Amino acid sequence: LVLFIDLSPGALGLLKEAVSLLLLTSAHSDSGSQTKMALAVCLDSALLLSDFTTEPSQILTQVKELEASGNFETLDMTSVANVLKEAQGSSGTVALRGILFYTRACMPSFGGDQNAWNELTASPNFVLDTIYLHSSSHDKQPQVKDFFSALDPKAADAAQRRFYCLDGPISDRRSVFRMAAQLSAHPKLRPADPAKLVNTLVPAVPRAVMPVGGPVAGGDAVGGIAMGLPVVQ
């Protein structure tokens, strides 16, 4: 698992909370598993920030230390593909999943060749999920979501889609946390339609899976609410 965090200003604090929820929910539901995970950041290009680890707490510590880095005019998806290929080689695993958090109004694009991307998508064991957050419904850029949706090699067949492309306004914290909880479901165990995942609100994150030192971005358990485990209908 490679997490790509957009370092654009304005929503980084919320992203930290969402990533915390995603990792802690996954750890709680997959207790005993040895999922390898790494952290990458998105500037104009994507950069791999950490080595792989099976300890969510190590990723959470790095996420907590991230700082916004300025306004960006695009995201080079060729660099995202290259990071994923590099991660695939260093992790020694065939199955690979990326989760990209994107908060920009500008269009992402492939700034170079798509060889690495084509190699990745040729494998049925590769998944790239995205959460696209916009400042309001008026600022939503449909072409941005269309771009991410079209990345799925099964995009034309709704019943066979592999990637989740979720979106919502930054102002709706509950919706953002719900999307993060949806992505905690393993790609092999979830339906093609994310609407068929059920998320139950619970009072707080179980104490056993709270990060050391409390929530990533302050406040009560992940912004005061936490999601229950996603289950398939």
Side-chain angles (χ1 to χ4, degrees):
L1 172 63
V2 182
L3 295 167
F4 292 86
I5 312 300
D6 193 338
L7 293 187
S8 298
L12 184 57
L14 181 60
L15 293 189
K16 290 181 179 183
E17 292 182 278
V19 170
S20 176
L21 174 59
L22 189 157
L23 289 177
L24 296 174
T25 305
S26 297
H28 185 63
S29 60
D30 297 333
S31 57
S33 70
Q34 293 295 308
T35 301
K36 295 180 180 180
M37 59 194 74
L39 179 65
V41 294
C42 297
L43 305 173
D44 287 320
S45 298
L47 301 172
L48 189 62
L49 198 64
S50 73
D51 295 327
F52 274 89
T53 178
T54 57
E55 295 295 333
S57 61
Q58 294 184 20
I59 300 296
L60 288 171
T61 297
Q62 293 175 314
V63 168
K64 185 176 182 179
E65 295 173 350
L66 294 177
E67 296 183 359
S69 189
N71 295 305
F72 306 102
E73 296 183 355
T74 186
L75 172 62
D76 181 7
M77 290 298 295
T78 299
S79 68
V80 172
N82 290 337
V83 165
L84 288 165
K85 283 295 292 181
E86 178 185 351
Q88 188 177 48
S90 62
S91 67
T93 181
V94 175
L96 180 64
R97 182 189 186 194
I99 298 178
L100 171 61
F101 292 84
Y102 193 82
T103 63
R104 309 173 190 184
C106 57
M107 280 288 293
S109 62
F110 283 91
D113 67 64
Q114 298 186 37
N115 293 339
W117 179 253
N118 292 336
E119 290 178 20
L120 289 166
T121 55
S123 169
N125 296 311
F126 170 71
V127 171
L128 178 65
D129 296 322
T130 56
I131 291 182
Y132 164 44
L133 301 180
H134 36 86
S135 56
S136 71
S137 59
H138 299 292
D139 294 326
K140 178 180 177 181
Q141 303 294 324
Q143 64 269 30
V144 174
K145 183 173 183 181
D146 290 345
F147 175 89
F148 286 124
S149 296
L151 293 176
D152 191 335
K154 299 291 185 179
D157 187 347
Q160 298 296 321
R161 291 184 64 92
R162 297 206 313 259
F163 302 0
Y164 274 9
C165 180
L166 309 177
D167 75 288
I170 294 171
S171 59
D172 189 347
R173 294 168 59 85
R174 183 179 292 255
S175 174
V176 174
F177 297 147
R178 179 176 291 108
M179 288 186 284
Q182 285 178 308
L183 293 188
S184 69
H186 193 284
K188 294 292 186 181
L189 301 177
R190 69 190 189 187
D193 182 0
K196 293 182 179 179
L197 282 174
V198 178
N199 299 282
T200 304
L201 290 175
V202 296
V205 174
R207 184 176 299 275
V209 297
M210 284 290 291
V212 177
V216 166
D220 295 332
V222 193
I225 63 171
M227 292 295 174
L229 303 181
V231 294
V232 179
Q233 288 180 322

